[in-house]
Coordinates of all heavy atoms in Angstrom, one line a residue:
M126 N 5.8 -13.1 -46.5 CA 5.5 -14.4 -45.8 C 5.5 -14.1 -44.3 O 6.4 -13.4 -43.7 CB 6.6 -15.4 -46.1 CG 6.4 -16.7 -45.4 SD 6.2 -18.0 -46.6 CE 5.9 -19.3 -45.5
A127 N 4.4 -14.5 -43.7 CA 4.3 -14.2 -42.2 C 5.2 -15.2 -41.4 O 5.4 -16.3 -41.8 CB 2.8 -14.4 -41.8
G128 N 5.6 -14.6 -40.3 CA 6.5 -15.4 -39.4 C 5.7 -16.4 -38.6 O 4.4 -16.4 -38.6
K129 N 6.4 -17.2 -37.8 CA 5.7 -18.2 -36.9 C 5.0 -17.4 -35.8 O 5.5 -16.4 -35.2 CB 6.7 -19.1 -36.3 CG 6.2 -20.2 -35.5 CD 7.2 -21.2 -35.0 CE 6.6 -22.2 -34.2 NZ 7.6 -23.1 -33.6
R130 N 3.8 -17.8 -35.5 CA 3.0 -17.2 -34.4 C 3.5 -17.5 -33.1 O 3.7 -18.7 -32.7 CB 1.5 -17.6 -34.6 CG 0.6 -16.9 -33.6 CD -0.8 -17.3 -33.9 NE -1.7 -16.7 -32.9 CZ -2.9 -16.4 -33.1 NH1 -3.4 -16.6 -34.3 NH2 -3.6 -15.8 -32.2
R131 N 3.7 -16.5 -32.3 CA 4.3 -16.7 -30.9 C 3.1 -16.9 -29.9 O 2.1 -16.3 -30.1 CB 5.0 -15.5 -30.5 CG 6.3 -15.3 -31.3 CD 7.0 -13.9 -31.0 NE 7.2 -13.6 -29.6 CZ 7.6 -12.5 -29.1 NH1 7.8 -11.5 -30.0 NH2 7.8 -12.3 -27.9
K132 N 3.3 -17.8 -29.0 CA 2.4 -18.0 -27.9 C 2.9 -17.6 -26.6 O 4.1 -17.9 -26.3 CB 2.0 -19.5 -27.9 CG 1.3 -20.0 -29.2 CD 0.5 -21.2 -28.9 CE -0.3 -21.6 -30.2 NZ -1.5 -22.3 -30.0
F133 N 2.1 -17.0 -25.8 CA 2.5 -16.5 -24.5 C 1.8 -17.2 -23.4 O 0.5 -17.4 -23.5 CB 2.3 -15.0 -24.4 CG 3.0 -14.2 -25.4 CD1 2.4 -13.8 -26.6 CD2 4.4 -13.9 -25.3 CE1 3.0 -13.1 -27.6 CE2 5.0 -13.2 -26.3 CZ 4.4 -12.7 -27.4
D134 N 2.5 -17.6 -22.4 CA 1.8 -18.3 -21.3 C 1.0 -17.3 -20.4 O 1.2 -16.1 -20.5 CB 2.7 -19.1 -20.4 CG 3.8 -18.3 -19.7 OD1 3.9 -17.1 -20.0 OD2 4.5 -18.8 -18.9
A135 N 0.1 -17.8 -19.6 CA -0.8 -17.0 -18.8 C 0.0 -16.1 -17.9 O -0.4 -15.0 -17.6 CB -1.8 -17.9 -18.1
E136 N 1.1 -16.6 -17.3 CA 1.8 -15.8 -16.4 C 2.4 -14.6 -17.0 O 2.4 -13.5 -16.4 CB 2.9 -16.7 -15.8 CG 3.8 -16.1 -14.7 CD 4.8 -17.0 -14.1 OE1 4.6 -18.2 -14.1 OE2 5.8 -16.5 -13.6
F137 N 2.9 -14.8 -18.2 CA 3.5 -13.6 -19.0 C 2.4 -12.6 -19.3 O 2.6 -11.4 -19.1 CB 4.1 -14.1 -20.3 CG 4.7 -13.0 -21.1 CD1 6.0 -12.5 -20.8 CD2 4.1 -12.4 -22.2 CE1 6.6 -11.5 -21.5 CE2 4.6 -11.4 -22.9 CZ 5.9 -10.9 -22.6
R138 N 1.2 -13.1 -19.7 CA 0.1 -12.2 -20.0 C -0.3 -11.4 -18.8 O -0.5 -10.2 -18.9 CB -1.0 -12.9 -20.6 CG -0.8 -13.5 -22.0 CD -2.1 -14.0 -22.6 NE -2.7 -15.0 -21.9 CZ -2.6 -16.4 -22.1 NH1 -1.8 -16.8 -23.0 NH2 -3.3 -17.2 -21.3
E139 N -0.5 -12.1 -17.7 CA -0.9 -11.4 -16.4 C 0.2 -10.4 -16.0 O -0.2 -9.3 -15.5 CB -1.1 -12.5 -15.3 CG -2.3 -13.3 -15.6 CD -2.4 -14.5 -14.6 OE1 -1.5 -14.6 -13.7 OE2 -3.3 -15.4 -14.8
G140 N 1.4 -10.7 -16.1 CA 2.5 -9.8 -15.8 C 2.5 -8.6 -16.6 O 2.7 -7.5 -16.1
A141 N 2.3 -8.7 -17.9 CA 2.3 -7.6 -18.8 C 1.1 -6.7 -18.5 O 1.2 -5.5 -18.5 CB 2.2 -8.1 -20.3
V142 N -0.1 -7.3 -18.2 CA -1.3 -6.5 -17.8 C -1.0 -5.8 -16.5 O -1.4 -4.6 -16.4 CB -2.5 -7.4 -17.8 CG1 -3.7 -6.6 -17.2 CG2 -2.9 -7.9 -19.2
R143 N -0.4 -6.4 -15.6 CA -0.1 -5.8 -14.3 C 0.9 -4.6 -14.4 O 0.7 -3.6 -13.8 CB 0.5 -6.9 -13.4 CG 0.5 -6.4 -11.9 CD 1.0 -7.5 -10.9 NE 0.4 -8.8 -11.2 CZ 1.1 -9.9 -11.5 NH1 2.4 -9.9 -11.6 NH2 0.4 -11.0 -11.7
I144 N 1.8 -4.8 -15.4 CA 2.8 -3.6 -15.6 C 2.0 -2.4 -16.1 O 2.2 -1.3 -15.6 CB 3.9 -4.0 -16.6 CG1 4.8 -5.0 -16.0 CG2 4.6 -2.8 -17.1 CD1 5.8 -5.7 -17.0
V145 N 1.1 -2.6 -17.0 CA 0.3 -1.5 -17.5 C -0.6 -0.9 -16.4 O -0.6 0.3 -16.3 CB -0.6 -2.0 -18.7 CG1 -1.6 -0.9 -19.1 CG2 0.2 -2.4 -19.9
A146 N -1.2 -1.7 -15.6 CA -2.1 -1.3 -14.6 C -1.4 -0.5 -13.5 O -1.8 0.5 -13.0 CB -2.9 -2.4 -14.0
E147 N -0.2 -1.1 -13.0 CA 0.4 -0.6 -11.8 C 1.3 0.6 -12.1 O 1.5 1.5 -11.3 CB 1.2 -1.7 -11.2 CG 0.3 -2.7 -10.5 CD 1.1 -3.9 -9.9 OE1 2.4 -3.9 -10.0 OE2 0.5 -4.8 -9.3
T148 N 2.0 0.6 -13.3 CA 2.9 1.7 -13.6 C 2.2 2.9 -14.3 O 2.7 4.0 -14.2 CB 4.0 1.2 -14.5 OG1 3.5 0.8 -15.8 CG2 4.8 0.1 -13.9
G149 N 1.1 2.6 -14.9 CA 0.4 3.7 -15.6 C 1.0 4.1 -16.9 O 0.7 5.1 -17.6
K150 N 2.0 3.3 -17.4 CA 2.7 3.5 -18.7 C 1.7 3.2 -19.8 O 0.8 2.4 -19.6 CB 3.9 2.7 -18.8 CG 5.1 3.0 -17.9 CD 6.2 2.1 -18.2 CE 7.4 2.4 -17.3 NZ 8.5 1.5 -17.6
P151 N 1.9 3.9 -20.9 CA 1.0 3.6 -22.1 C 1.2 2.2 -22.6 O 2.3 1.6 -22.5 CB 1.4 4.6 -23.1 CG 2.3 5.6 -22.5 CD 2.8 5.0 -21.2
I152 N 0.2 1.6 -23.1 CA 0.2 0.2 -23.6 C 1.3 0.1 -24.7 O 2.1 -0.9 -24.7 CB -1.1 -0.2 -24.2 CG1 -2.1 -0.4 -23.0 CG2 -1.0 -1.5 -25.0 CD1 -3.5 -0.7 -23.5
A153 N 1.5 1.1 -25.5 CA 2.5 1.1 -26.6 C 3.9 1.0 -26.1 O 4.7 0.2 -26.6 CB 2.3 2.3 -27.5
Q154 N 4.2 1.7 -25.0 CA 5.5 1.7 -24.4 C 5.8 0.4 -23.8 O 6.9 -0.2 -23.9 CB 5.6 2.8 -23.4 CG 7.0 2.9 -22.8 CD 7.1 4.0 -21.8 OE1 6.2 4.8 -21.6 NE2 8.2 4.1 -21.1
V155 N 4.8 -0.2 -23.0 CA 5.0 -1.5 -22.4 C 5.2 -2.6 -23.4 O 6.1 -3.4 -23.3 CB 3.9 -1.8 -21.4 CG1 4.0 -3.2 -20.8 CG2 3.8 -0.7 -20.3
A156 N 4.4 -2.5 -24.5 CA 4.5 -3.5 -25.5 C 5.9 -3.5 -26.2 O 6.5 -4.5 -26.4 CB 3.4 -3.3 -26.6
Q157 N 6.3 -2.3 -26.4 CA 7.7 -2.2 -27.0 C 8.7 -2.7 -26.1 O 9.7 -3.4 -26.5 CB 7.9 -0.7 -27.4 CG 9.2 -0.5 -28.1 CD 9.5 1.0 -28.5 OE1 8.7 1.9 -28.0 NE2 10.5 1.3 -29.3
D158 N 8.6 -2.4 -24.8 CA 9.6 -2.8 -23.8 C 9.6 -4.3 -23.7 O 10.7 -4.9 -23.6 CB 9.3 -2.3 -22.4 CG 9.5 -0.7 -22.4 OD1 10.2 -0.2 -23.3 OD2 9.0 -0.1 -21.4
L159 N 8.5 -5.0 -23.9 CA 8.4 -6.4 -23.8 C 8.6 -7.1 -25.1 O 8.7 -8.4 -25.1 CB 7.0 -6.8 -23.2 CG 6.7 -6.4 -21.8 CD1 5.3 -6.7 -21.4 CD2 7.7 -7.0 -20.8
G160 N 8.6 -6.4 -26.2 CA 8.8 -7.0 -27.5 C 7.6 -7.7 -28.0 O 7.8 -8.7 -28.7
I161 N 6.4 -7.2 -27.7 CA 5.2 -7.8 -28.3 C 4.4 -6.7 -29.0 O 4.7 -5.5 -28.9 CB 4.4 -8.4 -27.1 CG1 4.0 -7.3 -26.1 CG2 5.1 -9.6 -26.5 CD1 3.0 -7.8 -25.0
N162 N 3.5 -7.2 -29.8 CA 2.6 -6.3 -30.6 C 1.7 -5.5 -29.7 O 1.2 -6.0 -28.7 CB 1.8 -7.1 -31.6 CG 1.1 -6.3 -32.6 OD1 0.7 -5.2 -32.3 ND2 1.0 -6.8 -33.8
E163 N 1.5 -4.2 -30.0 CA 0.7 -3.3 -29.2 C -0.7 -3.8 -29.1 O -1.4 -3.7 -28.1 CB 0.8 -1.9 -29.8 CG 0.0 -0.9 -29.0 CD 0.1 0.5 -29.7 OE1 1.0 0.7 -30.5 OE2 -0.8 1.3 -29.3
T164 N -1.3 -4.2 -30.2 CA -2.7 -4.7 -30.3 C -2.9 -5.9 -29.4 O -3.9 -6.1 -28.8 CB -3.2 -4.9 -31.7 OG1 -2.3 -5.9 -32.3 CG2 -3.2 -3.6 -32.5
T165 N -1.9 -6.8 -29.4 CA -1.9 -8.0 -28.6 C -2.1 -7.6 -27.1 O -3.0 -8.1 -26.4 CB -0.7 -8.9 -28.8 OG1 -0.6 -9.2 -30.1 CG2 -0.8 -10.1 -27.9
L166 N -1.2 -6.7 -26.6 CA -1.2 -6.3 -25.2 C -2.5 -5.5 -25.0 O -3.1 -5.7 -23.9 CB 0.0 -5.4 -24.9 CG 0.1 -4.9 -23.5 CD1 0.1 -6.0 -22.5 CD2 1.3 -4.0 -23.3
A167 N -3.0 -4.7 -25.9 CA -4.2 -4.0 -25.7 C -5.4 -4.9 -25.5 O -6.3 -4.7 -24.7 CB -4.5 -3.1 -26.9
S168 N -5.4 -6.1 -26.3 CA -6.5 -7.0 -26.1 C -6.4 -7.7 -24.7 O -7.4 -8.0 -24.1 CB -6.5 -8.0 -27.2 OG -5.4 -8.9 -27.1
W169 N -5.2 -8.0 -24.3 CA -5.1 -8.6 -23.0 C -5.5 -7.7 -21.9 O -6.2 -8.1 -20.9 CB -3.6 -9.0 -22.7 CG -3.0 -10.0 -23.6 CD1 -3.7 -10.8 -24.4 CD2 -1.6 -10.3 -23.7 NE1 -2.8 -11.6 -25.1 CE2 -1.5 -11.3 -24.7 CE3 -0.5 -9.8 -23.1 CZ2 -0.3 -11.9 -25.0 CZ3 0.8 -10.3 -23.5 CH2 0.9 -11.3 -24.4
V170 N -5.2 -6.4 -22.0 CA -5.6 -5.4 -21.0 C -7.1 -5.2 -21.0 O -7.8 -5.2 -19.9 CB -4.9 -4.0 -21.2 CG1 -5.5 -2.9 -20.4 CG2 -3.4 -4.2 -21.0
S171 N -7.7 -5.2 -22.2 CA -9.1 -5.0 -22.3 C -9.9 -6.2 -21.7 O -10.8 -6.1 -20.9 CB -9.5 -4.9 -23.8 OG -10.9 -4.9 -24.0
R172 N -9.4 -7.4 -21.9 CA -10.0 -8.6 -21.4 C -9.9 -8.6 -19.9 O -10.8 -8.9 -19.2 CB -9.3 -9.9 -22.0 CG -10.0 -11.2 -21.5 CD -9.4 -12.4 -22.1 NE -9.2 -12.3 -23.6 CZ -8.0 -12.6 -24.2 NH1 -7.0 -13.0 -23.5 NH2 -7.9 -12.4 -25.5
A173 N -8.7 -8.2 -19.4 CA -8.5 -8.2 -17.9 C -9.5 -7.2 -17.2 O -10.0 -7.4 -16.2 CB -7.1 -7.8 -17.6
R174 N -9.7 -6.0 -17.9 CA -10.6 -5.0 -17.4 C -12.0 -5.5 -17.3 O -12.8 -5.2 -16.4 CB -10.4 -3.7 -18.1 CG -9.1 -3.0 -17.8 CD -9.0 -1.7 -18.6 NE -7.8 -1.0 -18.2 CZ -7.1 -0.2 -19.0 NH1 -7.6 0.1 -20.2 NH2 -6.0 0.3 -18.6
R175 N -12.4 -6.2 -18.4 CA -13.8 -6.8 -18.4 C -14.0 -7.8 -17.3 O -15.0 -7.7 -16.6 CB -14.1 -7.4 -19.8 CG -14.4 -6.5 -20.9 CD -15.1 -7.2 -22.0 NE -14.3 -8.4 -22.5 CZ -13.4 -8.3 -23.4 NH1 -13.1 -7.2 -24.0 NH2 -12.8 -9.5 -23.8
V176 N -13.0 -8.7 -17.1 CA -13.1 -9.7 -16.1 C -13.0 -9.0 -14.7 O -13.8 -9.3 -13.8 CB -12.0 -10.7 -16.2 CG1 -12.0 -11.6 -15.0 CG2 -12.3 -11.5 -17.5
G177 N -12.1 -8.0 -14.6 CA -12.0 -7.3 -13.3 C -13.2 -6.5 -13.0 O -13.5 -6.3 -11.8
G178 N -13.9 -5.9 -14.0 CA -15.1 -5.2 -13.7 C -16.2 -6.0 -13.1 O -16.9 -5.6 -12.2
A179 N -16.3 -7.3 -13.6 CA -17.3 -8.2 -13.1 C -16.9 -8.5 -11.6 O -17.8 -8.6 -10.8 CB -17.4 -9.4 -13.9
T180 N -15.6 -8.7 -11.4 CA -15.2 -9.0 -10.0 C -15.4 -7.8 -9.1 O -15.9 -8.0 -8.0 CB -13.7 -9.4 -10.1 OG1 -13.5 -10.5 -11.0 CG2 -13.2 -9.8 -8.7
A181 N -15.1 -6.7 -9.6 CA -15.3 -5.5 -8.8 C -16.8 -5.2 -8.4 O -17.1 -4.8 -7.3 CB -14.8 -4.2 -9.5
T182 N -17.7 -5.6 -9.3 CA -19.1 -5.4 -9.1 C -19.5 -6.4 -7.9 O -20.2 -6.0 -7.0 CB -19.9 -5.7 -10.3 OG1 -19.5 -4.8 -11.3 CG2 -21.4 -5.5 -10.1
G183 N -19.0 -7.6 -8.0 CA -19.3 -8.6 -7.0 C -18.7 -8.2 -5.7 O -19.4 -8.4 -4.6
E184 N -17.5 -7.7 -5.7 CA -16.9 -7.2 -4.5 C -17.6 -6.0 -3.9 O -17.7 -6.0 -2.6 CB -15.4 -6.9 -4.7 CG -14.6 -8.1 -5.0 CD -13.1 -7.7 -5.4 OE1 -12.8 -6.5 -5.5 OE2 -12.3 -8.7 -5.6
S185 N -18.1 -5.1 -4.7 CA -18.8 -3.9 -4.1 C -20.1 -4.4 -3.5 O -20.5 -3.8 -2.5 CB -19.0 -2.9 -5.2 OG -19.9 -3.4 -6.2
E186 N -20.8 -5.3 -4.1 CA -22.0 -5.8 -3.5 C -21.7 -6.5 -2.2 O -22.5 -6.3 -1.2 CB -22.7 -6.8 -4.5 CG -23.3 -6.2 -5.7 CD -23.8 -7.2 -6.7 OE1 -23.7 -8.4 -6.5 OE2 -24.3 -6.7 -7.7
E187 N -20.7 -7.3 -2.1 CA -20.2 -8.0 -0.9 C -19.9 -6.9 0.2 O -20.3 -7.1 1.3 CB -19.1 -8.9 -1.2 CG -18.5 -9.6 0.0 CD -19.4 -10.7 0.5 OE1 -20.4 -11.1 -0.1 OE2 -19.0 -11.3 1.6
L188 N -19.2 -5.9 -0.2 CA -18.8 -4.8 0.7 C -20.0 -4.1 1.3 O -20.1 -3.9 2.5 CB -17.9 -3.8 0.0 CG -17.4 -2.7 0.9 CD1 -16.6 -3.2 2.1 CD2 -16.5 -1.7 0.0
A189 N -21.0 -3.9 0.4 CA -22.2 -3.2 0.9 C -23.0 -4.1 1.9 O -23.5 -3.6 2.9 CB -23.1 -2.9 -0.3
R190 N -23.0 -5.4 1.6 CA -23.7 -6.4 2.5 C -23.0 -6.4 3.8 O -23.6 -6.4 4.9 CB -23.7 -7.8 1.8 CG -24.5 -8.8 2.7 CD -24.3 -10.2 2.1 NE -23.0 -10.7 2.2 CZ -22.4 -11.2 3.4 NH1 -23.1 -11.1 4.5 NH2 -21.2 -11.6 3.4
L191 N -21.7 -6.4 3.8 CA -20.9 -6.5 5.0 C -21.1 -5.2 5.8 O -21.1 -5.3 7.1 CB -19.4 -6.8 4.7 CG -19.1 -8.2 4.2 CD1 -17.7 -8.2 3.8 CD2 -19.4 -9.2 5.3
R192 N -21.2 -4.1 5.2 CA -21.4 -2.8 5.9 C -22.8 -2.8 6.6 O -22.9 -2.4 7.7 CB -21.2 -1.7 5.0 CG -19.8 -1.4 4.6 CD -19.6 -0.2 3.7 NE -18.2 0.1 3.6 CZ -17.8 0.8 2.6 NH1 -18.6 1.4 1.7 NH2 -16.5 1.1 2.5
R193 N -23.8 -3.3 5.9 CA -25.1 -3.4 6.5 C -25.1 -4.3 7.7 O -25.7 -4.0 8.7 CB -26.1 -3.9 5.5 CG -26.6 -2.8 4.4 CD -27.8 -3.3 3.6 NE -27.6 -4.6 3.0 CZ -27.1 -4.8 1.8 NH1 -26.7 -3.8 1.1 NH2 -27.0 -6.0 1.3
E194 N -24.5 -5.5 7.5 CA -24.4 -6.4 8.6 C -23.6 -5.8 9.8 O -24.0 -6.0 11.0 CB -23.7 -7.7 8.1 CG -23.6 -8.8 9.1 CD -22.9 -10.0 8.6 OE1 -22.8 -10.2 7.4 OE2 -22.5 -10.9 9.4
N195 N -22.5 -5.1 9.5 CA -21.8 -4.5 10.6 C -22.6 -3.5 11.3 O -22.5 -3.4 12.6 CB -20.5 -3.9 10.0 CG -19.5 -3.4 11.1 OD1 -19.4 -4.0 12.1 ND2 -18.8 -2.4 10.8
A196 N -23.4 -2.7 10.6 CA -24.2 -1.7 11.3 C -25.2 -2.3 12.2 O -25.5 -1.9 13.3 CB -24.9 -0.8 10.2
Q197 N -25.8 -3.4 11.7 CA -26.8 -4.1 12.5 C -26.2 -4.7 13.7 O -26.8 -4.7 14.8 CB -27.5 -5.3 11.7 CG -28.5 -6.0 12.4 CD -29.7 -5.2 12.8 OE1 -30.2 -4.3 12.0 NE2 -30.2 -5.3 14.0
L198 N -25.0 -5.3 13.6 CA -24.3 -5.9 14.8 C -23.9 -4.8 15.8 O -24.0 -5.0 17.0 CB -23.1 -6.6 14.3 CG -23.3 -7.9 13.5 CD1 -22.0 -8.5 13.0 CD2 -24.0 -9.0 14.4
K199 N -23.5 -3.6 15.3 CA -23.2 -2.5 16.3 C -24.5 -2.1 17.0 O -24.4 -1.9 18.2 CB -22.6 -1.3 15.5 CG -21.2 -1.5 15.1 CD -20.7 -0.3 14.4 CE -19.2 -0.5 14.0 NZ -18.7 0.7 13.3
K200 N -25.6 -2.1 16.3 CA -26.9 -1.7 16.9 C -27.2 -2.7 18.0 O -27.6 -2.4 19.1 CB -28.0 -1.6 15.9 CG -29.3 -1.2 16.4 CD -30.3 -1.1 15.3 CE -31.7 -1.0 15.8 NZ -32.7 -1.1 14.8
D201 N -27.1 -4.0 17.6 CA -27.5 -5.1 18.6 C -26.5 -5.0 19.8 O -27.0 -5.2 20.9 CB -27.4 -6.4 17.9 CG -28.4 -6.7 16.8 OD1 -29.4 -5.9 16.8 OD2 -28.3 -7.6 16.0
N202 N -25.3 -4.8 19.6 CA -24.3 -4.7 20.6 C -24.6 -3.6 21.6 O -24.5 -3.7 22.8 CB -22.9 -4.5 20.1 CG -21.8 -4.7 21.1 OD1 -22.0 -5.5 22.0 ND2 -20.7 -4.0 21.0
K203 N -25.1 -2.5 21.1 CA -25.4 -1.3 21.9 C -26.6 -1.6 22.8 O -26.7 -1.3 24.0 CB -25.7 -0.1 21.0 CG -25.7 1.2 21.7 CD -26.0 2.3 20.7 CE -25.4 3.6 21.1 NZ -25.5 4.7 20.2
E204 N -27.6 -2.3 22.2 CA -28.8 -2.7 22.9 C -28.5 -3.7 24.1 O -28.9 -3.5 25.2 CB -29.9 -3.3 22.0 CG -30.5 -2.3 21.1 CD -31.5 -3.0 20.1 OE1 -31.8 -4.2 20.3 OE2 -31.9 -2.3 19.2
L205 N -27.6 -4.6 23.8 CA -27.2 -5.6 24.8 C -26.4 -5.0 25.9 O -26.6 -5.3 27.1 CB -26.4 -6.7 24.1 CG -27.2 -7.7 23.2 CD1 -26.2 -8.6 22.5 CD2 -28.2 -8.5 24.0
A206 N -25.6 -4.0 25.6 CA -24.8 -3.3 26.6 C -25.8 -2.5 27.5 O -25.6 -2.5 28.8 CB -23.8 -2.3 26.0
M207 N -26.8 -1.9 27.0 CA -27.8 -1.2 27.8 C -28.6 -2.2 28.7 O -28.8 -1.9 29.9 CB -28.8 -0.4 26.9 CG -28.1 0.8 26.3 SD -29.2 1.9 25.3 CE -30.6 1.0 24.9
E208 N -29.0 -3.3 28.1 CA -29.7 -4.3 29.0 C -28.8 -4.8 30.1 O -29.2 -5.0 31.2 CB -30.1 -5.5 28.1 CG -31.2 -5.2 27.1 CD -31.5 -6.4 26.2 OE1 -31.0 -7.5 26.4 OE2 -32.3 -6.1 25.2
R209 N -27.5 -5.0 29.8 CA -26.6 -5.5 30.8 C -26.5 -4.4 32.0 O -26.5 -4.8 33.1 CB -25.2 -5.7 30.2 CG -24.1 -6.2 31.2 CD -22.7 -5.9 30.7 NE -22.5 -4.5 30.5 CZ -21.7 -4.0 29.6 NH1 -21.1 -4.7 28.8 NH2 -21.6 -2.7 29.6
D210 N -26.4 -3.2 31.6 CA -26.3 -2.1 32.6 C -27.5 -2.0 33.4 O -27.4 -1.8 34.7 CB -26.0 -0.7 31.9 CG -24.7 -0.6 31.3 OD1 -23.8 -1.5 31.6 OD2 -24.5 0.2 30.4
V211 N -28.7 -2.2 32.8 CA -29.9 -2.2 33.6 C -30.0 -3.4 34.6 O -30.3 -3.2 35.8 CB -31.2 -2.3 32.7 CG1 -32.4 -2.6 33.4 CG2 -31.3 -1.0 31.9
L212 N -29.5 -4.5 34.1 CA -29.5 -5.7 35.0 C -28.5 -5.5 36.2 O -28.8 -5.9 37.3 CB -29.2 -7.0 34.2 CG -30.3 -7.5 33.3 CD1 -29.7 -8.6 32.4 CD2 -31.5 -7.9 34.1
K213 N -27.4 -4.9 35.9 CA -26.4 -4.6 37.0 C -27.1 -3.7 38.0 O -26.9 -3.9 39.2 CB -25.2 -3.9 36.4 CG -24.2 -4.8 35.7 CD -23.0 -4.0 35.3 CE -22.0 -4.8 34.6 NZ -20.8 -4.0 34.1
R214 N -27.8 -2.7 37.6 CA -28.4 -1.7 38.5 C -29.5 -2.5 39.3 O -29.6 -2.2 40.5 CB -29.0 -0.6 37.8 CG -27.9 0.4 37.2 CD -28.5 1.6 36.5 NE -27.5 2.3 35.8 CZ -27.6 2.7 34.6 NH1 -28.7 2.4 33.9 NH2 -26.6 3.3 34.0
C215 N -30.2 -3.3 38.7 CA -31.3 -4.1 39.4 C -30.6 -5.0 40.4 O -31.2 -5.1 41.5 CB -32.1 -4.9 38.4 SG -33.2 -4.0 37.3
M216 N -29.5 -5.6 40.1 CA -28.9 -6.5 41.0 C -28.4 -5.7 42.3 O -28.5 -6.2 43.4 CB -27.7 -7.1 40.3 CG -27.1 -8.3 41.1 SD -28.4 -9.6 41.2 CE -27.4 -10.8 41.8
V217 N -27.9 -4.5 42.0 CA -27.4 -3.7 43.2 C -28.6 -3.3 44.0 O -28.5 -3.4 45.3 CB -26.7 -2.4 42.6 CG1 -26.5 -1.4 43.7 CG2 -25.4 -2.8 41.9
L218 N -29.7 -2.9 43.5 CA -30.9 -2.6 44.3 C -31.4 -3.8 45.0 O -31.9 -3.7 46.2 CB -31.9 -2.0 43.4 CG -31.6 -0.6 42.8 CD1 -32.7 -0.2 41.8 CD2 -31.5 0.4 43.9
W219 N -31.4 -5.0 44.4 CA -31.9 -6.2 45.1 C -31.0 -6.6 46.2 O -31.5 -7.0 47.3 CB -31.9 -7.3 44.0 CG -32.5 -8.6 44.5 CD1 -33.8 -8.8 44.8 CD2 -31.8 -9.7 44.9 NE1 -33.9 -10.1 45.3 CE2 -32.7 -10.7 45.3 CE3 -30.4 -10.1 44.8 CZ2 -32.3 -12.0 45.7 CZ3 -30.0 -11.3 45.2 CH2 -31.0 -12.3 45.7
V220 N -29.7 -6.4 46.1 CA -28.8 -6.8 47.2 C -28.9 -5.8 48.3 O -28.9 -6.3 49.5 CB -27.3 -6.7 46.6 CG1 -26.3 -6.9 47.8 CG2 -27.1 -7.8 45.6
K221 N -29.2 -4.6 48.1 CA -29.4 -3.6 49.2 C -30.7 -4.0 49.9 O -30.9 -4.0 51.0 CB -29.5 -2.2 48.7 CG -28.2 -1.7 48.2 CD -28.3 -0.3 47.8 CE -26.9 0.3 47.4 NZ -27.0 1.7 47.0

């Protein structure tokens, strides 16, 4: 006869997945330490990696966009600094 099915709240699941990710311990060891089934923890970790992979892809695209924007802004800043220097020199010549 099977026992009563245990339910775990989201906070516990996230904590268990975080332990596996941050400590590098095997899933079996963490599951045993927490007193849960190894396959249950493995499914939580797998789901978190799938969701995290989608997030990481979005973040890498955002990072690439921000790097391109940063490079463009640096280029624009350099051009504006050169224009400012030219105007300063013109002003000095005009005053003389």
Side-chain angles (χ1 to χ4, degrees):
M126 178 119 186
K129 186 176 178 185
R130 185 175 175 147
R131 294 170 52 189
K132 294 200 176 210
F133 301 98
D134 63 350
E136 185 177 332
F137 180 81
R138 290 191 303 264
E139 291 169 7
V142 169
R143 195 174 312 119
I144 290 171
V145 171
E147 292 177 359
T148 63
K150 292 182 180 178
I152 292 175
Q154 182 181 352
V155 174
Q157 184 179 9
D158 292 346
L159 295 175
I161 59 176
N162 192 325
E163 181 181 343
T164 56
T165 302
L166 180 56
S168 69
W169 296 346
V170 170
S171 175
R172 186 178 312 132
R174 286 182 180 151
R175 280 195 310 269
V176 171
T180 303
T182 302
E184 288 176 356
S185 65
E186 290 173 359
E187 177 74 5
L188 181 60
R190 184 188 67 77
L191 289 172
R192 285 183 175 160
R193 284 191 306 271
E194 183 180 341
N195 191 32
Q197 182 63 41
L198 290 172
K199 284 182 178 181
K200 180 181 172 188
D201 293 347
N202 191 31
K203 196 175 206 179
E204 289 177 13
L205 289 171
M207 288 186 340
E208 289 177 11
R209 180 200 63 211
D210 292 343
V211 167
L212 289 173
K213 280 183 180 178
R214 289 182 191 131
C215 289
M216 194 64 171
V217 168
L218 291 175
W219 183 75
V220 169
K221 286 184 178 181

